Amino acid sequence: MTHPALAHTREVTATDGDLVAAFHAQCSAQNLLRRWGRMHLTPRDLTRLLAQARCWIGLDTDERPLALVCVGPVSRQPGVFDLGLQVADDHRRRGIGTAMARHAARMARTRGAHTLTAFTHASNMPMLRLLGRLGPTRHTHDGPYVEVHVALDAYAPHTREPTRTAPT
């Protein structure tokens, strides 16, 4: 994965509780509540998450965590993987989330997924735009929330970016 702000990305393990906590310290209470429904992720929460999904953390050149992305078959629907994404408040709207989400989409596709889903507040326009950049979407509204389904057909398992067809 390439992004100027990210020196590297690595998979999160159960021993990374302190790193995940350091990342969450860079996120506002509002954004933590929006993403996790609480102010912090406990070690037990992290263990349960990693049992269902693979997670990666994006680090800058000083090894500071900038973003966290998780993808896995949480809903247990065949071929459907769920996406969770959070970017540190001071690094939002710079393309880091898109780079991390594309990485997760590629990984989901290589593991057999044909659809990526995300559940977010209907007013979360940055996330909705990001999901639209990943591929064709279908939205299902549920009160103030929306579940977005992204078709992963454009992500071949061996490609770095979505395959684009030339206009005819």
Side-chain angles (χ1 to χ4, degrees):
M1 166 184 356
T2 59
H3 187 278
L6 295 173
H8 64 97
T9 303
R10 72 171 181 79
E11 194 159 355
V12 175
T13 69
T15 62
D16 286 324
D18 290 343
L19 184 62
V20 172
F23 166 67
H24 284 148
Q26 297 179 67
C27 301
S28 68
Q30 177 184 3
N31 288 330
L32 289 170
L33 285 170
R34 185 183 316 163
R35 172 65 186 96
W36 300 104
R38 62 184 76 133
M39 302 284 283
H40 68 281
L41 197 65
T42 67
R44 181 176 178 207
D45 294 331
L46 181 59
T47 299
R48 290 169 54 193
L49 176 63
L50 293 174
Q52 298 183 46
R54 291 179 67 188
C55 301
W56 294 269
I57 196 151
L59 304 161
D60 69 9
T61 55
D62 295 324
E63 296 293 308
R64 285 184 306 235
L66 303 181
L68 178 68
V69 66
C70 300
V71 66
V74 177
S75 67
R76 307 249 187 261
Q77 297 175 43
V80 177
F81 276 36
D82 299 302
L83 173 73
L85 174 69
Q86 190 164 18
V87 177
D89 290 5
D90 291 345
H91 298 281
R92 298 175 79 170
R93 297 183 186 243
R94 296 181 186 176
I96 294 170
T98 299
M100 297 289 287
R102 284 187 174 144
H103 174 75
R106 283 190 303 276
M107 297 309 289
R109 184 68 172 154
T110 62
R111 294 178 59 207
H114 56 71
T115 302
L116 198 64
T117 64
F119 192 76
T120 189
H121 201 276
S123 66
N124 189 350
M125 296 310 294
M127 183 63 165
L128 295 174
R129 282 191 298 271
L130 180 151
L131 293 166
R133 286 191 291 272
L134 295 179
T137 60
R138 180 175 47 87
H139 295 214
T140 304
H141 292 270
D142 182 11
Y145 297 95
V146 62
E147 182 175 34
V148 181
H149 296 252
V150 180
L152 295 179
D153 298 335
Y155 288 86
H158 62 278
T159 61
R160 294 182 59 85
E161 296 296 327
T163 307
R164 306 240 187 255
T165 55
T168 56

